[in-house]
Amino acid sequence: MRCCFAASAYRKSVRLAILAWKDHGDEELTDCFGDIIRQLTQRTVIPWLKQHPRISSQVICVVPVPSSPASLHKRGRLHTKDLANSVVQQLRSSGFDAVTANCLRIKHGAVKSVQTAGIRGRLQRSEGLVYLRRPQRLFQRYVILVDDIVTSASTVRQCAQVVAQSQAYPLTALLLASAVKG
């Protein structure tokens, strides 16, 4: 995977807005965050794809990073799928063939890494956390991962590893915000 791109740092009002959207049902923010992730796609992914016609002539699978089953149940939705759909919309409007492929899952009973204290604990907790449902959907496809926030990058890394193990090609990850310094 090339690298991750985040639209903002995960602090202050950005942090509060994302938490309100994903954990407190403020779904009216979906369009706003969709616009932000589309702009990020336009600034980062589109220019790169235009320089790589062999890749850009293929179908690009945009894969939302999964939430834990408990979070899905609590929220009643996979909020990152809305972001992935926005990325697909931007790719298509720029002339690329793209689809949303909601095929990554987090194992039942697992705690997502953001809920585990300390970076070392997060990295250890993410091992074996993610699995691929219907791997044939990604076979030999180019993949863009989409998530809301990254704190230690352990979940995104695990997702990229699972994608690569399925003989797909993770290109990058697009994020609303990053708490990772550096």
Side-chain angles (χ1 to χ4, degrees), residues 122-170:
R122 290 179 189 142
L123 293 172
Q124 290 172 343
R125 190 70 181 141
S126 70
E127 282 301 311
L129 179 74
V130 178
Y131 68 95
L132 185 60
R133 204 175 113 241
R134 297 183 297 188
Q136 66 278 11
R137 289 191 69 194
L138 298 184
F139 182 72
Q140 296 188 342
R141 303 275 184 161
Y142 293 96
V143 173
I144 296 172
L145 297 169
V146 180
D147 204 357
D148 56 354
I149 60 168
V150 63
T151 52
S152 67
S154 60
T155 303
V156 169
R157 265 191 236 124
Q158 178 72 23
C159 289
Q161 287 174 347
V162 169
V163 165
Q165 289 167 354
S166 73
Q167 297 181 6
Y169 312 108

Side-chain angles (χ1 to χ4, degrees), residues 103-123:
C103 51
L104 289 174
R105 298 290 184 270
I106 292 181
K107 292 181 181 174
H108 281 279
V111 176
K112 197 165 179 190
S113 62
V114 74
Q115 297 169 326
T116 306
I119 204 159
R120 187 172 302 213
R122 290 179 189 142
L123 293 172

Side-chain angles (χ1 to χ4, degrees), residues 19-45:
L19 290 175
W21 173 63
K22 72 184 238 180
D23 289 332
H24 301 291
D26 289 352
E27 292 185 45
E28 68 275 4
L29 293 169
T30 299
D31 289 343
C32 176
F33 288 135
D35 289 343
I36 290 168
I37 206 81
R38 277 192 295 278
Q39 290 173 19
L40 183 64
T41 304
Q42 185 64 39
R43 287 192 327 265
T44 60
V45 175

Side-chain angles (χ1 to χ4, degrees), residues 46-63:
I46 302 294
W48 188 85
L49 285 173
K50 287 180 178 178
Q51 294 175 356
H52 296 85
R54 183 180 60 80
I55 293 172
S56 63
S57 66
Q58 307 289 318
V59 174
I60 298 166
C61 293
V62 181
V63 178

